Amino acid sequence: MDANAGSFVAVRRLAGSERAAGAAAFHHSSSAEVVTGSTAWIGKGLSCVCAQRRDSDARLSFDLTPVQEECLQRLQNRLEVQYDSSNSDHQEALKDLWRASFPGAELRGLISEQWKEMGWQGKDPSTDFRGGGFISLENLVYFSKNFPKSFQELLRKQNGDRAIWEYPFAVAGVNITFMLIQMLDLQSVKPRSFIGAVFLKLLSENDQAFDILYCITFKLMDQQWLDMHATYMDFNTVMKSTRRQLERELLLEDIQRIEDMPSYKLLAR
């Protein structure tokens, strides 16, 4: 993602009277208004949160087992796939995301103002996948199908005392994918941090570990958001706090499976 991009998206929660006035615009009920502005808060969040590396990391190197090498390669192959709006499989994945997000609501097109309801920056979600690639869409679809209750709670901001200006759900999801890729150093030939090495062990136990970790991270980020009484200008701070908590949990001695992470218990199917 471009840290010099010229726009942001925030989501303002609407009062009951405002929601009623805007309900006719969509077939499903709406509880948020998408607003654009001139500061690339998401881009800045990525450069601040994700590109951090300890001085010692460059000197670390961990040997991988053949199984771990194979698992890492499969995941890296996924990372290399860019979203292609002309690819029928990618189009179908985007439609799957819509159907899981708003069951029964007809999507009028892959380019539509309706997408702003999910928290995309504009009417064409493909423009937001540039930083996270196709895997960021796969992560959202996985979340929607495997933990639908938690997915809907986050999408609709159903839990807790929410801020007037909320983070945009979909674009926050792309940020989370990007942050995890950097935190785990997944584009390196072998891990250069203890966090990366621990994750590869978990990945060798469960080839869906990255997707599950994504779901954990999204739910944890929202919990941190509520605990900090955050608003959209606090997004960077919330992401930093979320990353620190993930690192602490991954380094716990009794973590043998991704499901052993304490924050996994936040997820509901």
Side-chain angles (χ1 to χ4, degrees):
M1 289 188 178
D2 185 357
N4 298 315
S7 65
F8 69 81
V9 175
V11 178
R12 182 168 72 90
R13 291 180 58 77
L14 304 183
S17 59
E18 294 175 286
R19 287 199 295 270
F26 294 94
H27 295 293
H28 56 278
S29 62
S30 173
S31 61
E33 172 189 13
V34 176
V35 180
T36 59
S38 60
T39 303
W41 68 276
I42 290 178
K44 291 181 179 178
L46 290 175
S47 62
C48 179
V49 176
C50 303
Q52 297 178 337
R53 178 168 290 141
R54 303 178 187 85
D55 291 339
S56 60
D57 285 356
R59 298 190 296 272
L60 294 173
S61 181
F62 298 87
D63 292 329
L64 304 180
T65 67
V67 172
Q68 290 174 336
E69 288 182 354
E70 183 179 348
C71 291
L72 176 59
Q73 186 59 59
R74 284 200 300 267
L75 182 53
Q76 288 177 334
N77 290 342
R78 292 176 63 192
L79 301 183
E80 293 174 0
V81 180
Q82 297 301 308
Y83 181 83
D84 181 356
S85 58
S86 66
N87 185 310
S88 60
D89 290 337
H90 293 194
Q91 293 175 3
E92 192 58 36
L94 196 54
K95 293 176 184 177
D96 282 345
L97 178 61
W98 176 268
R99 288 190 289 264
S101 300
F102 305 112
E106 181 182 357
L107 177 63
R108 293 192 285 271
L110 292 179
I111 299 178
S112 168
E113 294 290 334
Q114 290 173 288
W115 288 109
K116 294 181 182 179
E117 284 289 291
M118 197 183 296
W120 299 105
Q121 295 189 81
K123 61 184 180 180
D124 183 3
S126 68
T127 61
D128 291 326
F129 291 129
R130 292 170 183 166
F134 182 58
I135 194 172
S136 60
L137 174 55
E138 289 182 314
N139 287 155
L140 281 167
V141 172
Y142 182 92
F143 192 9
S144 71
K145 292 184 175 181
N146 289 272
F147 301 97
K149 186 175 188 294
S150 290
F151 180 87
Q152 288 293 331
E153 289 172 349
L154 299 188
L155 172 64
R156 301 177 187 275
K157 306 293 196 298
Q158 292 175 334
N159 292 341
D161 184 15
R162 314 301 308 199
I164 294 176
W165 293 98
E166 279 284 330
Y167 64 85
F169 172 80
V171 180
V174 176
N175 272 263
I176 288 171
T177 298
F178 192 88
M179 183 268 281
L180 289 175
I181 292 171
Q182 298 241 329
M183 182 186 83
L184 302 172
D185 201 20
L186 294 177
Q187 293 174 314
S188 298
V189 175
K190 59 175 64 176
R192 294 177 292 182
S193 69
F194 289 111
I195 295 293
V198 167
F199 173 74
L200 282 186
K201 181 179 182 300
L202 301 178
L203 185 65
S204 66
E205 297 293 331
N206 185 341
D207 61 3
Q208 297 181 3
F210 183 78
D211 301 273
I212 296 172
L213 183 60
Y214 172 88
C215 301
I216 293 172
T217 304
F218 213 143
K219 187 65 176 176
L220 177 60
M221 185 276 290
D222 188 75
Q223 187 63 55
Q224 300 269 5
W225 180 275
L226 292 174
D227 291 346
M228 296 168 66
H229 304 287
T231 187
Y232 75 93
M233 290 301 290
D234 301 315
F235 186 78
N236 297 348
T237 302
V238 173
M239 288 289 281
K240 288 179 182 179
S241 177
T242 302
R243 175 171 174 163
R244 287 194 295 268
Q245 181 61 27
L246 287 173
E247 291 176 336
R248 284 193 291 267
E249 292 191 16
L250 285 169
L251 292 178
L252 293 174
E253 291 185 0
D254 58 347
I255 303 300
Q256 302 298 320
R257 305 175 305 139
I258 196 72
E259 294 88 349
D260 293 334
M261 291 182 64
S263 291
Y264 178 80
K265 296 178 183 178
L266 295 173
L267 292 170
R269 297 183 186 274

